[in-house]
Every structure is written in C-alpha cells, then in structure tokens.
Amino acid sequence: MSRPYWVTKAGSLGKINELEFFEVPLDVVDPTSAPVTFKFLSGELPPGIQVIRTGKLQGVPVVLNPISVGESREYKFTIRATAAQTTGNVVVDRSFSITVSNVYPPAITPRTQYLGATFDGRKYELQLSAIEENPAAVLKWSISNGTLPPG
C-alpha cells in the first residue's frame, strides 16, 4: 500500500490579520491518485477559520478573547488528510500553527486622495486626523508617496 504524503510544510503558516480573509491550500499527494479529503483533527483553530474538505484552510479570523491592541495570539492545530484507496482509507496527519494579529492601522481622515485646490501664493490649510485603536500609540506623520508643492 502506497502512503500519501504532505506537501504543505508542517509548522507555522504565518501571521495573519484579524478580520481579513485568509486562505491557504492544503497539499497532500497520494501515489495511487486516490481522492484526498481533509478535516480538523485536534487543537484550536482561530475562530472564523475552517478546514474545507477539498483541501483549503480559509476564513476570516476573529480573536474572541480580548487582548490588548498590538498583540498576537498563536493557534496550534492538527489536520488529518484521508486518501480513499482501493485497499481502504489511509490517513496522514500534520500539525500547524497560525498567529492572528489584532494590529490595526490608524484610520486617516479625510479619506480622499484629492485634498482640494488653491491659487498660487495663497495660504492653504487642511487639518488631517487619525483614529488609532491603541490609546498609547504615538503617531508620526510622513509622506509615503509623492511630494508636497513648495511652501
């Protein structure tokens, strides 16, 4: 009997952001070309993430246990792959982890890229503001792309 084997590496599947869609394929090769199905076996998946029977780990992670802003939570779990061979089912298990981060970028207002027009030589003033989830964060303003006009 030929055994199926995992292609997806064991261990960390990376760091993902809370409330953002996440998807990663689960790859197992069966030398007999038998169909392979997947299921959650043990441990703890991030709430909102599920194992899709056809070979994906996907969803929108949510951290249910309150943690302070700017921290992360690691989830460890095992997935079972089952190959339905003619001689019977053959299973292979693999353990993974995912770290879910609740770091949110500040929301800058106004949200538009067009900040208005003015005549040359006239004073132009526009107050930008940012809402930051972490009250202890110190915001530093800078230009990430483009340039300001002279003056």
Side-chain angles (χ1 to χ4, degrees), residues 18-19 44-48 61-67 73 75 100 102:
E18 181 182 26
L19 301 176
E44 184 182 13
L45 282 172
V62 178
V63 178
L64 296 179
N65 306 9
I67 55 179
R73 175 141 187 245
Y75 296 86
V100 179
N102 72 343

Side-chain angles (χ1 to χ4, degrees), residues 113 115 124 126 128 141-151:
Q113 291 181 353
L115 301 177
Y124 176 81
L126 176 67
L128 300 176
W141 291 86
S142 64
I143 299 170
S144 65
N145 189 11
T147 60
L148 290 173

Side-chain angles (χ1 to χ4, degrees), residues 1 5 10 12 26-27 32 34 36 55 65-66 68-69 79 84 100 117 130 140 143-144:
M1 175 182 347
Y5 58 91
S12 176
L26 300 170
D27 266 340
T32 68
V36 178
N65 306 9
S68 54
V69 174
I79 295 176
V100 179
K140 180 180 174 186
I143 299 170
S144 65

Side-chain angles (χ1 to χ4, degrees), residues 69-110:
V69 174
E71 291 185 17
S72 300
R73 175 141 187 245
E74 183 180 42
Y75 296 86
K76 296 179 180 184
F77 52 92
T78 301
I79 295 176
R80 171 164 285 173
T82 304
Q85 296 180 354
T86 56
T87 56
N89 288 343
V90 180
V91 299
V92 288
D93 301 338
R94 181 140 290 183
S95 295
F96 301 99
S97 68
I98 294 177
T99 302
V100 179
S101 171
N102 72 343
V103 175
Y104 301 102
I108 299 173
T109 56

